[in-house]
Amino acid sequence: MRLKKDSSKQKLRGAYYTPQKLANAMVRLFASENIDTVLEPSCGDGVFLDALIKSDCIKRYASIDAVEIDGVEAKKVEGRMKAYKNVKVINEDFFDFYKANRESVHYDLILGNPPYIRYQYLEEHQRELMSDILTSQGMKANKLVNTWVGFIVSCVNMLSNNGKIAFVIPAEIMQVAYAEDLRLFLSNNLSKITLITFEELVFPDIEQEIVVFIGEKGDEEKGIRIVELNNLEDLKSFDINANGFQKLQHVHEKWTKYFTNVEENTLVKQ
């Protein structure tokens, strides 16, 4: 991304790389799925590609597109992936990539850890790109919106008919006001939404609470479920199909209410 030069490189790029253990666990969730095309919209150092290799999934897919704005990182990843002819590393701003390909390219699985960059650290062109993405979906674009919001909206639009998205994003998605349009957009465009939360910090160096967001397209709407785990170790034995869904209301609302189950919500309303 083309960003202002008056801040640290890490802050400007929102580059807080995913622990390998977390990437491995996220890939395992989809190891048995029927997937042909994969996108990693902000591949960084290639941790999710490494997870695909470790899970023996990488050779099964027809094509894997890995987009990375940082030229140095993109070149490193490209060098490491030379053995895999189905992997294409694209050195480009993802929002530019989306603008050029949104109508023609769709993916069965999109996974990654989008950058967390505040509006004030973006240059005007970058702000315009994200604003166009949000307003085209009937969402408000303002100075509070973070880039991870734009990434989710773009990637949901690039999913195939039964595609799945798995992102590491801030836990604030569940309740902050600037994400209320996003929550409604996701409830209207996904048949299943799963949020995996952690008691322990996954990124202790930045004290950022995160969730693993999993969205699935499909004909039958199931709703939302929130699963609370202690730490990354719990993901090793986690069964994504063991938890039931609650019906979403398709209105502007906080998702923290779905921490409770249906019976508990009924008692609260009485």
Side-chain angles (χ1 to χ4, degrees):
M1 294 182 175
R2 294 178 289 278
L3 305 166
K4 290 184 177 179
K5 299 178 180 179
D6 56 353
S7 188
S8 70
K9 182 178 180 181
Q10 186 179 52
K11 181 179 288 187
L12 290 177
R13 291 184 57 229
Y16 300 103
Y17 290 153
T18 312
Q20 188 68 59
K21 187 184 298 185
L22 177 55
N24 293 344
M26 289 172 64
V27 165
R28 280 198 301 271
L29 294 175
F30 305 99
S32 63
E33 300 285 343
N34 184 20
I35 293 167
D36 286 325
T37 54
V38 178
L39 170 68
E40 215 288 52
S42 182
C43 75
D45 59 355
V47 64
F48 283 95
L49 295 174
D50 290 336
L52 289 173
I53 294 172
K54 186 171 183 178
S55 67
D56 291 327
C57 289
I58 197 164
K59 292 182 180 179
R60 297 202 331 241
Y61 303 142
S63 66
I64 302 170
D65 289 339
V67 182
E68 173 54 42
I69 183 59
D70 186 280
V72 174
E73 292 283 30
K75 191 170 183 178
K76 288 179 183 177
V77 174
E78 187 174 36
R80 287 179 22 235
M81 295 296 139
K82 281 185 177 179
Y84 304 99
K85 303 304 181 184
N86 58 335
V87 177
K88 182 180 180 181
V89 179
I90 303 162
N91 182 203
E92 189 176 4
D93 182 321
F94 174 68
F95 287 162
D96 284 323
F97 174 84
Y98 171 71
K99 184 177 181 180
N101 296 281
R102 60 188 174 186
E103 301 294 339
S104 58
V105 182
H106 295 88
Y107 298 93
D108 300 325
L109 175 63
I110 302 177
L111 76 172
N113 178 8
Y116 311 160
I117 307 172
R118 296 178 181 177
Y119 179 90
Q120 62 264 35
Y121 296 122
L122 302 176
E123 289 192 349
E124 191 60 33
H125 172 68
Q126 187 65 28
R127 294 173 182 175
E128 290 174 1
L129 280 173
M130 188 163 68
S131 177
D132 288 345
I133 290 167
L134 299 180
T135 56
S136 70
Q137 305 302 312
M139 301 169 63
K140 295 185 293 291
N142 58 52
K143 294 181 179 180
L144 296 176
V145 177
N146 198 294
T147 50
W148 62 265
V149 175
F151 267 70
I152 290 184
V153 172
S154 302
C155 289
V156 167
N157 286 335
M158 296 190 85
L159 287 176
S160 59
N161 289 338
N162 292 294
K164 299 173 176 62
I165 179 173
F167 267 8
V168 180
I169 57 174
E172 60 193 36
I173 186 179
M174 292 188 284
Q175 61 180 339
V176 295
Y178 79 74
E180 66 176 11
D181 279 354
L182 174 64
R183 293 191 291 270
L184 181 58
F185 167 82
L186 294 173
S187 69
N188 288 336
N189 286 275
L190 297 170
S191 62
K192 300 177 184 177
I193 295 172
T194 303
L195 295 165
I196 304 173
T197 70
F198 302 91
E199 286 290 330
E200 297 178 10
L201 287 174
V202 175
F203 297 102
D205 292 341
I206 60 171
E207 297 186 353
Q208 171 74 66
E209 291 188 18
I210 62 95
V211 299
V212 174
F213 170 86
I214 300 170
E216 304 178 48
K217 281 195 171 183
D219 296 328
E220 184 181 2
E221 181 180 337
K222 293 292 187 179
I224 188 172
R225 57 187 170 186
I226 299 178
V227 181
E228 299 176 82
L229 302 180
N230 289 322
N231 50 43
L232 294 183
E233 288 297 318
D234 289 349
L235 271 176
K236 290 182 178 179
S237 57
F238 174 66
D239 180 4
I240 192 172
N241 297 312
N243 297 273
F245 291 92
Q246 296 188 59
K247 184 176 178 60
L248 278 163
Q249 299 303 309
H250 295 274
V251 296
H252 284 121
E253 62 177 354
K254 295 181 179 180
W255 283 353
T256 46
K257 62 183 281 187
Y258 297 108
F259 270 108
T260 55
N261 59 38
V262 176
E263 292 77 12
E264 290 168 336
N265 281 335
T266 301
L267 289 173
V268 170
K269 291 178 181 178
Q270 292 178 349

mmCIF file of all heavy atoms in Angstrom, residues 76-113:
data_model
loop_
_atom_site.group_PDB
_atom_site.id
_atom_site.type_symbol
_atom_site.label_atom_id
_atom_site.label_comp_id
_atom_site.label_asym_id
_atom_site.label_seq_id
_atom_site.Cartn_x
_atom_site.Cartn_y
_atom_site.Cartn_z
ATOM 1 N N LYS A 76 10.971 -12.737 -1.612
ATOM 2 C CA LYS A 76 11.389 -13.842 -0.753
ATOM 3 C C LYS A 76 10.413 -15.014 -0.867
ATOM 4 O O LYS A 76 10.820 -16.169 -1.010
ATOM 5 C CB LYS A 76 11.465 -13.383 0.709
ATOM 6 C CG LYS A 76 12.614 -12.457 1.037
ATOM 7 C CD LYS A 76 12.539 -12.075 2.510
ATOM 8 C CE LYS A 76 13.617 -11.078 2.909
ATOM 9 N NZ LYS A 76 13.469 -10.670 4.334
ATOM 10 N N VAL A 77 9.122 -14.694 -0.776
ATOM 11 C CA VAL A 77 8.102 -15.742 -0.837
ATOM 12 C C VAL A 77 8.118 -16.421 -2.204
ATOM 13 O O VAL A 77 8.026 -17.648 -2.304
ATOM 14 C CB VAL A 77 6.703 -15.160 -0.531
ATOM 15 C CG1 VAL A 77 5.628 -16.220 -0.739
ATOM 16 C CG2 VAL A 77 6.645 -14.624 0.894
ATOM 17 N N GLU A 78 8.246 -15.636 -3.246
ATOM 18 C CA GLU A 78 8.279 -16.186 -4.597
ATOM 19 C C GLU A 78 9.441 -17.172 -4.759
ATOM 20 O O GLU A 78 9.293 -18.232 -5.367
ATOM 21 C CB GLU A 78 8.399 -15.056 -5.615
ATOM 22 C CG GLU A 78 8.282 -15.506 -7.058
ATOM 23 C CD GLU A 78 8.261 -14.342 -8.022
ATOM 24 O OE1 GLU A 78 8.971 -13.343 -7.747
ATOM 25 O OE2 GLU A 78 7.544 -14.418 -9.023
ATOM 26 N N GLY A 79 10.578 -16.825 -4.177
ATOM 27 C CA GLY A 79 11.737 -17.708 -4.246
ATOM 28 C C GLY A 79 11.503 -19.023 -3.542
ATOM 29 O O GLY A 79 11.907 -20.088 -4.028
ATOM 30 N N ARG A 80 10.833 -18.964 -2.389
ATOM 31 C CA ARG A 80 10.564 -20.179 -1.616
ATOM 32 C C ARG A 80 9.494 -21.055 -2.255
ATOM 33 O O ARG A 80 9.420 -22.248 -1.974
ATOM 34 C CB ARG A 80 10.146 -19.807 -0.192
ATOM 35 C CG ARG A 80 11.303 -19.308 0.635
ATOM 36 C CD ARG A 80 10.925 -18.910 2.053
ATOM 37 N NE ARG A 80 9.707 -19.490 2.557
ATOM 38 C CZ ARG A 80 8.693 -18.774 3.042
ATOM 39 N NH1 ARG A 80 8.746 -17.454 3.054
ATOM 40 N NH2 ARG A 80 7.630 -19.376 3.527
ATOM 41 N N MET A 81 8.642 -20.462 -3.108
ATOM 42 C CA MET A 81 7.528 -21.200 -3.695
ATOM 43 C C MET A 81 7.806 -21.675 -5.122
ATOM 44 O O MET A 81 6.905 -22.136 -5.813
ATOM 45 C CB MET A 81 6.265 -20.323 -3.680
ATOM 46 C CG MET A 81 5.777 -19.988 -2.298
ATOM 47 S SD MET A 81 5.244 -21.445 -1.365
ATOM 48 C CE MET A 81 5.918 -21.053 0.259
ATOM 49 N N LYS A 82 9.038 -21.582 -5.574
ATOM 50 C CA LYS A 82 9.366 -21.941 -6.957
ATOM 51 C C LYS A 82 9.001 -23.384 -7.292
ATOM 52 O O LYS A 82 8.702 -23.714 -8.447
ATOM 53 C CB LYS A 82 10.848 -21.706 -7.225
ATOM 54 C CG LYS A 82 11.199 -20.244 -7.473
ATOM 55 C CD LYS A 82 12.663 -20.093 -7.852
ATOM 56 C CE LYS A 82 12.996 -18.632 -8.176
ATOM 57 N NZ LYS A 82 14.421 -18.454 -8.536
ATOM 58 N N ALA A 83 9.037 -24.253 -6.321
ATOM 59 C CA ALA A 83 8.751 -25.671 -6.570
ATOM 60 C C ALA A 83 7.270 -25.924 -6.839
ATOM 61 O O ALA A 83 6.905 -27.001 -7.326
ATOM 62 C CB ALA A 83 9.211 -26.513 -5.391
ATOM 63 N N TYR A 84 6.429 -24.935 -6.525
ATOM 64 C CA TYR A 84 4.986 -25.123 -6.654
ATOM 65 C C TYR A 84 4.472 -24.258 -7.810
ATOM 66 O O TYR A 84 4.265 -23.056 -7.667
ATOM 67 C CB TYR A 84 4.284 -24.770 -5.342
ATOM 68 C CG TYR A 84 4.816 -25.564 -4.180
ATOM 69 C CD1 TYR A 84 5.756 -25.007 -3.313
ATOM 70 C CD2 TYR A 84 4.412 -26.879 -3.962
ATOM 71 C CE1 TYR A 84 6.278 -25.741 -2.258
ATOM 72 C CE2 TYR A 84 4.926 -27.621 -2.913
ATOM 73 C CZ TYR A 84 5.849 -27.046 -2.066
ATOM 74 O OH TYR A 84 6.353 -27.771 -1.025
ATOM 75 N N LYS A 85 4.240 -24.879 -8.955
ATOM 76 C CA LYS A 85 3.860 -24.153 -10.163
ATOM 77 C C LYS A 85 2.445 -23.586 -10.082
ATOM 78 O O LYS A 85 2.083 -22.707 -10.869
ATOM 79 C CB LYS A 85 3.968 -25.077 -11.384
ATOM 80 C CG LYS A 85 5.361 -25.680 -11.574
ATOM 81 C CD LYS A 85 6.429 -24.589 -11.654
ATOM 82 C CE LYS A 85 7.815 -25.208 -11.858
ATOM 83 N NZ LYS A 85 8.884 -24.170 -11.849
ATOM 84 N N ASN A 86 1.651 -24.077 -9.148
ATOM 85 C CA ASN A 86 0.283 -23.577 -8.994
ATOM 86 C C ASN A 86 0.208 -22.341 -8.092
ATOM 87 O O ASN A 86 -0.868 -21.764 -7.915
ATOM 88 C CB ASN A 86 -0.630 -24.669 -8.426
ATOM 89 C CG ASN A 86 -0.144 -25.206 -7.083
ATOM 90 O OD1 ASN A 86 1.048 -25.140 -6.777
ATOM 91 N ND2 ASN A 86 -1.054 -25.738 -6.301
ATOM 92 N N VAL A 87 1.352 -21.920 -7.532
ATOM 93 C CA VAL A 87 1.392 -20.745 -6.661
ATOM 94 C C VAL A 87 1.898 -19.533 -7.447
ATOM 95 O O VAL A 87 2.981 -19.578 -8.041
ATOM 96 C CB VAL A 87 2.298 -20.973 -5.433
ATOM 97 C CG1 VAL A 87 2.374 -19.703 -4.588
ATOM 98 C CG2 VAL A 87 1.777 -22.146 -4.608
ATOM 99 N N LYS A 88 1.121 -18.471 -7.418
ATOM 100 C CA LYS A 88 1.503 -17.229 -8.087
ATOM 101 C C LYS A 88 1.593 -16.112 -7.053
ATOM 102 O O LYS A 88 0.603 -15.783 -6.394
ATOM 103 C CB LYS A 88 0.475 -16.864 -9.160
ATOM 104 C CG LYS A 88 0.826 -15.607 -9.951
ATOM 105 C CD LYS A 88 -0.245 -15.328 -11.001
ATOM 106 C CE LYS A 88 0.090 -14.068 -11.807
ATOM 107 N NZ LYS A 88 -0.977 -13.787 -12.820
ATOM 108 N N VAL A 89 2.781 -15.544 -6.883
ATOM 109 C CA VAL A 89 2.981 -14.429 -5.957
ATOM 110 C C VAL A 89 2.854 -13.127 -6.742
ATOM 111 O O VAL A 89 3.544 -12.917 -7.741
ATOM 112 C CB VAL A 89 4.350 -14.515 -5.265
ATOM 113 C CG1 VAL A 89 4.548 -13.332 -4.317
ATOM 114 C CG2 VAL A 89 4.474 -15.837 -4.505
ATOM 115 N N ILE A 90 1.968 -12.257 -6.283
ATOM 116 C CA ILE A 90 1.647 -11.023 -6.998
ATOM 117 C C ILE A 90 2.063 -9.829 -6.144
ATOM 118 O O ILE A 90 1.506 -9.597 -5.069
ATOM 119 C CB ILE A 90 0.133 -10.951 -7.304
ATOM 120 C CG1 ILE A 90 -0.296 -12.190 -8.109
ATOM 121 C CG2 ILE A 90 -0.216 -9.666 -8.051
ATOM 122 C CD1 ILE A 90 -1.778 -12.451 -8.096
ATOM 123 N N ASN A 91 3.044 -9.082 -6.604
ATOM 124 C CA ASN A 91 3.546 -7.906 -5.878
ATOM 125 C C ASN A 91 2.690 -6.700 -6.251
ATOM 126 O O ASN A 91 2.962 -5.990 -7.209
ATOM 127 C CB ASN A 91 5.012 -7.669 -6.243
ATOM 128 C CG ASN A 91 5.636 -6.495 -5.515
ATOM 129 O OD1 ASN A 91 6.619 -5.928 -5.970
ATOM 130 N ND2 ASN A 91 5.055 -6.109 -4.379
ATOM 131 N N GLU A 92 1.632 -6.490 -5.460
ATOM 132 C CA GLU A 92 0.663 -5.442 -5.785
ATOM 133 C C GLU A 92 -0.133 -5.064 -4.542
ATOM 134 O O GLU A 92 -0.286 -5.852 -3.610
ATOM 135 C CB GLU A 92 -0.295 -5.946 -6.881
ATOM 136 C CG GLU A 92 -1.215 -4.899 -7.461
ATOM 137 C CD GLU A 92 -2.069 -5.427 -8.609
ATOM 138 O OE1 GLU A 92 -2.000 -6.648 -8.907
ATOM 139 O OE2 GLU A 92 -2.800 -4.637 -9.231
ATOM 140 N N ASP A 93 -0.645 -3.844 -4.531
ATOM 141 C CA ASP A 93 -1.600 -3.410 -3.515
ATOM 142 C C ASP A 93 -2.878 -4.227 -3.705
ATOM 143 O O ASP A 93 -3.426 -4.286 -4.805
ATOM 144 C CB ASP A 93 -1.876 -1.914 -3.726
ATOM 145 C CG ASP A 93 -2.817 -1.328 -2.695
ATOM 146 O OD1 ASP A 93 -3.787 -2.006 -2.310
ATOM 147 O OD2 ASP A 93 -2.586 -0.179 -2.291
ATOM 148 N N PHE A 94 -3.365 -4.868 -2.647
ATOM 149 C CA PHE A 94 -4.521 -5.738 -2.807
ATOM 150 C C PHE A 94 -5.749 -4.992 -3.295
ATOM 151 O O PHE A 94 -6.544 -5.529 -4.080
ATOM 152 C CB PHE A 94 -4.861 -6.468 -1.504
ATOM 153 C CG PHE A 94 -6.136 -7.253 -1.615
ATOM 154 C CD1 PHE A 94 -6.209 -8.369 -2.443
ATOM 155 C CD2 PHE A 94 -7.281 -6.850 -0.943
ATOM 156 C CE1 PHE A 94 -7.394 -9.075 -2.579
ATOM 157 C CE2 PHE A 94 -8.460 -7.552 -1.067
ATOM 158 C CZ PHE A 94 -8.527 -8.668 -1.885
ATOM 159 N N PHE A 95 -5.954 -3.757 -2.850
ATOM 160 C CA PHE A 95 -7.128 -3.022 -3.311
ATOM 161 C C PHE A 95 -7.067 -2.764 -4.814
ATOM 162 O O PHE A 95 -8.088 -2.772 -5.501
ATOM 163 C CB PHE A 95 -7.281 -1.712 -2.546
ATOM 164 C CG PHE A 95 -7.743 -1.892 -1.115
ATOM 165 C CD1 PHE A 95 -7.569 -0.872 -0.187
ATOM 166 C CD2 PHE A 95 -8.358 -3.059 -0.701
ATOM 167 C CE1 PHE A 95 -8.001 -1.021 1.122
ATOM 168 C CE2 PHE A 95 -8.785 -3.220 0.614
ATOM 169 C CZ PHE A 95 -8.614 -2.209 1.524
ATOM 170 N N ASP A 96 -5.870 -2.544 -5.350
ATOM 171 C CA ASP A 96 -5.718 -2.418 -6.798
ATOM 172 C C ASP A 96 -5.993 -3.766 -7.483
ATOM 173 O O ASP A 96 -6.633 -3.819 -8.542
ATOM 174 C CB ASP A 96 -4.304 -1.939 -7.156
ATOM 175 C CG ASP A 96 -4.101 -0.452 -6.894
ATOM 176 O OD1 ASP A 96 -5.048 0.323 -7.112
ATOM 177 O OD2 ASP A 96 -3.000 -0.079 -6.458
ATOM 178 N N PHE A 97 -5.505 -4.838 -6.870
ATOM 179 C CA PHE A 97 -5.751 -6.186 -7.388
ATOM 180 C C PHE A 97 -7.248 -6.467 -7.426
ATOM 181 O O PHE A 97 -7.777 -6.997 -8.419
ATOM 182 C CB PHE A 97 -5.044 -7.218 -6.510
ATOM 183 C CG PHE A 97 -5.332 -8.642 -6.861
ATOM 184 C CD1 PHE A 97 -4.621 -9.283 -7.871
ATOM 185 C CD2 PHE A 97 -6.310 -9.362 -6.176
ATOM 186 C CE1 PHE A 97 -4.889 -10.611 -8.207
ATOM 187 C CE2 PHE A 97 -6.580 -10.679 -6.503
ATOM 188 C CZ PHE A 97 -5.873 -11.306 -7.518
ATOM 189 N N TYR A 98 -7.940 -6.102 -6.372
ATOM 190 C CA TYR A 98 -9.390 -6.318 -6.304
ATOM 191 C C TYR A 98 -10.118 -5.518 -7.378
ATOM 192 O O TYR A 98 -11.000 -6.044 -8.077
ATOM 193 C CB TYR A 98 -9.909 -5.914 -4.923
ATOM 194 C CG TYR A 98 -11.408 -5.883 -4.822
ATOM 195 C CD1 TYR A 98 -12.157 -7.061 -4.826
ATOM 196 C CD2 TYR A 98 -12.093 -4.671 -4.719
ATOM 197 C CE1 TYR A 98 -13.546 -7.034 -4.734
ATOM 198 C CE2 TYR A 98 -13.474 -4.629 -4.628
ATOM 199 C CZ TYR A 98 -14.191 -5.813 -4.637
ATOM 200 O OH TYR A 98 -15.558 -5.776 -4.560
ATOM 201 N N LYS A 99 -9.737 -4.271 -7.543
ATOM 202 C CA LYS A 99 -10.386 -3.412 -8.535
ATOM 203 C C LYS A 99 -10.261 -4.001 -9.935
ATOM 204 O O LYS A 99 -11.199 -3.957 -10.736
ATOM 205 C CB LYS A 99 -9.769 -2.012 -8.490
ATOM 206 C CG LYS A 99 -10.439 -1.002 -9.416
ATOM 207 C CD LYS A 99 -9.819 0.373 -9.257
ATOM 208 C CE LYS A 99 -10.501 1.385 -10.170
ATOM 209 N NZ LYS A 99 -9.889 2.746 -10.009
ATOM 210 N N ALA A 100 -9.106 -4.598 -10.231
ATOM 211 C CA ALA A 100 -8.857 -5.139 -11.567
ATOM 212 C C ALA A 100 -9.492 -6.514 -11.787
ATOM 213 O O ALA A 100 -9.761 -6.895 -12.934
ATOM 214 C CB ALA A 100 -7.353 -5.227 -11.806
ATOM 215 N N ASN A 101 -9.753 -7.254 -10.695
ATOM 216 C CA ASN A 101 -10.176 -8.650 -10.858
ATOM 217 C C ASN A 101 -11.518 -9.007 -10.239
ATOM 218 O O ASN A 101 -11.966 -10.155 -10.347
ATOM 219 C CB ASN A 101 -9.108 -9.567 -10.244
ATOM 220 C CG ASN A 101 -7.782 -9.484 -10.960
ATOM 221 O OD1 ASN A 101 -7.597 -10.068 -12.021
ATOM 222 N ND2 ASN A 101 -6.849 -8.736 -10.379
ATOM 223 N N ARG A 102 -12.178 -8.061 -9.611
ATOM 224 C CA ARG A 102 -13.379 -8.391 -8.826
ATOM 225 C C ARG A 102 -14.501 -9.012 -9.649
ATOM 226 O O ARG A 102 -15.291 -9.813 -9.132
ATOM 227 C CB ARG A 102 -13.895 -7.134 -8.127
ATOM 228 C CG ARG A 102 -14.279 -6.001 -9.059
ATOM 229 C CD ARG A 102 -14.589 -4.741 -8.294
ATOM 230 N NE ARG A 102 -14.834 -3.611 -9.192
ATOM 231 C CZ ARG A 102 -15.007 -2.363 -8.774
ATOM 232 N NH1 ARG A 102 -14.967 -2.095 -7.484
ATOM 233 N NH2 ARG A 102 -15.218 -1.395 -9.635
ATOM 234 N N GLU A 103 -14.601 -8.669 -10.921
ATOM 235 C CA GLU A 103 -15.688 -9.192 -11.747
ATOM 236 C C GLU A 103 -15.359 -10.539 -12.380
ATOM 237 O O GLU A 103 -16.256 -11.303 -12.733
ATOM 238 C CB GLU A 103 -16.036 -8.188 -12.852
ATOM 239 C CG GLU A 103 -16.466 -6.820 -12.350
ATOM 240 C CD GLU A 103 -17.782 -6.855 -11.601
ATOM 241 O OE1 GLU A 103 -18.549 -7.822 -11.805
ATOM 242 O OE2 GLU A 103 -18.037 -5.945 -10.795
ATOM 243 N N SER A 104 -14.076 -10.841 -12.525
ATOM 244 C CA SER A 104 -13.686 -12.000 -13.326
ATOM 245 C C SER A 104 -13.074 -13.159 -12.544
ATOM 246 O O SER A 104 -13.016 -14.283 -13.057
ATOM 247 C CB SER A 104 -12.686 -11.567 -14.408
ATOM 248 O OG SER A 104 -11.537 -10.961 -13.815
ATOM 249 N N VAL A 105 -12.618 -12.914 -11.325
ATOM 250 C CA VAL A 105 -11.903 -13.952 -10.572
ATOM 251 C C VAL A 105 -12.610 -14.215 -9.242
ATOM 252 O O VAL A 105 -12.928 -13.276 -8.505
ATOM 253 C CB VAL A 105 -10.437 -13.531 -10.300
ATOM 254 C CG1 VAL A 105 -9.705 -14.631 -9.556
ATOM 255 C CG2 VAL A 105 -9.723 -13.201 -11.609
ATOM 256 N N HIS A 106 -12.842 -15.498 -8.951
ATOM 257 C CA HIS A 106 -13.456 -15.880 -7.679
ATOM 258 C C HIS A 106 -12.707 -17.068 -7.089
ATOM 259 O O HIS A 106 -12.090 -17.856 -7.822
ATOM 260 C CB HIS A 106 -14.942 -16.198 -7.870
ATOM 261 C CG HIS A 106 -15.754 -15.019 -8.275
ATOM 262 N ND1 HIS A 106 -15.922 -14.659 -9.595
ATOM 263 C CD2 HIS A 106 -16.413 -14.086 -7.544
ATOM 264 C CE1 HIS A 106 -16.665 -13.567 -9.659
ATOM 265 N NE2 HIS A 106 -16.963 -13.196 -8.438
ATOM 266 N N TYR A 107 -12.799 -17.207 -5.767
ATOM 267 C CA TYR A 107 -11.987 -18.200 -5.060
ATOM 268 C C TYR A 107 -12.855 -19.069 -4.153
ATOM 269 O O TYR A 107 -13.829 -18.600 -3.549
ATOM 270 C CB TYR A 107 -10.918 -17.502 -4.222
ATOM 271 C CG TYR A 107 -9.940 -16.696 -5.047
ATOM 272 C CD1 TYR A 107 -10.150 -15.336 -5.292
ATOM 273 C CD2 TYR A 107 -8.805 -17.284 -5.590
ATOM 274 C CE1 TYR A 107 -9.260 -14.591 -6.055
ATOM 275 C CE2 TYR A 107 -7.905 -16.560 -6.354
ATOM 276 C CZ TYR A 107 -8.139 -15.211 -6.580
ATOM 277 O OH TYR A 107 -7.254 -14.481 -7.346
ATOM 278 N N ASP A 108 -12.449 -20.341 -4.030
ATOM 279 C CA ASP A 108 -13.130 -21.270 -3.132
ATOM 280 C C ASP A 108 -12.723 -21.052 -1.677
ATOM 281 O O ASP A 108 -13.504 -21.327 -0.764
ATOM 282 C CB ASP A 108 -12.808 -22.710 -3.525
ATOM 283 C CG ASP A 108 -13.244 -23.038 -4.941
ATOM 284 O OD1 ASP A 108 -14.295 -22.517 -5.374
ATOM 285 O OD2 ASP A 108 -12.529 -23.793 -5.623
ATOM 286 N N LEU A 109 -11.488 -20.596 -1.466
ATOM 287 C CA LEU A 109 -10.988 -20.342 -0.115
ATOM 288 C C LEU A 109 -10.115 -19.098 -0.119
ATOM 289 O O LEU A 109 -9.207 -18.974 -0.950
ATOM 290 C CB LEU A 109 -10.180 -21.535 0.397
ATOM 291 C CG LEU A 109 -9.486 -21.367 1.760
ATOM 292 C CD1 LEU A 109 -10.518 -21.159 2.864
ATOM 293 C CD2 LEU A 109 -8.597 -22.573 2.076
ATOM 294 N N ILE A 110 -10.420 -18.164 0.782
ATOM 295 C CA ILE A 110 -9.588 -16.976 0.974
ATOM 296 C C ILE A 110 -9.193 -16.948 2.442
ATOM 297 O O ILE A 110 -10.046 -16.989 3.326
ATOM 298 C CB ILE A 110 -10.341 -15.680 0.609
ATOM 299 C CG1 ILE A 110 -10.811 -15.741 -0.853
ATOM 300 C CG2 ILE A 110 -9.464 -14.461 0.843
ATOM 301 C CD1 ILE A 110 -11.623 -14.530 -1.296
ATOM 302 N N LEU A 111 -7.907 -16.912 2.701
ATOM 303 C CA LEU A 111 -7.471 -16.932 4.096
ATOM 304 C C LEU A 111 -6.269 -16.023 4.302
ATOM 305 O O LEU A 111 -5.532 -15.724 3.370
ATOM 306 C CB LEU A 111 -7.141 -18.357 4.554
ATOM 307 C CG LEU A 111 -5.842 -19.035 4.118
ATOM 308 C CD1 LEU A 111 -5.683 -20.346 4.873
ATOM 309 C CD2 LEU A 111 -5.818 -19.296 2.630
ATOM 310 N N GLY A 112 -6.112 -15.566 5.540
ATOM 311 C CA GLY A 112 -4.975 -14.718 5.843
ATOM 312 C C GLY A 112 -5.189 -13.835 7.046
ATOM 313 O O GLY A 112 -6.110 -14.021 7.847
ATOM 314 N N ASN A 113 -4.307 -12.866 7.151
ATOM 315 C CA ASN A 113 -4.299 -11.896 8.247
ATOM 316 C C ASN A 113 -4.156 -10.519 7.608
ATOM 317 O O ASN A 113 -3.038 -10.067 7.355
ATOM 318 C CB ASN A 113 -3.117 -12.204 9.189
ATOM 319 C CG ASN A 113 -3.018 -11.212 10.332
ATOM 320 O OD1 ASN A 113 -3.885 -10.375 10.526
ATOM 321 N ND2 ASN A 113 -1.934 -11.314 11.090
#
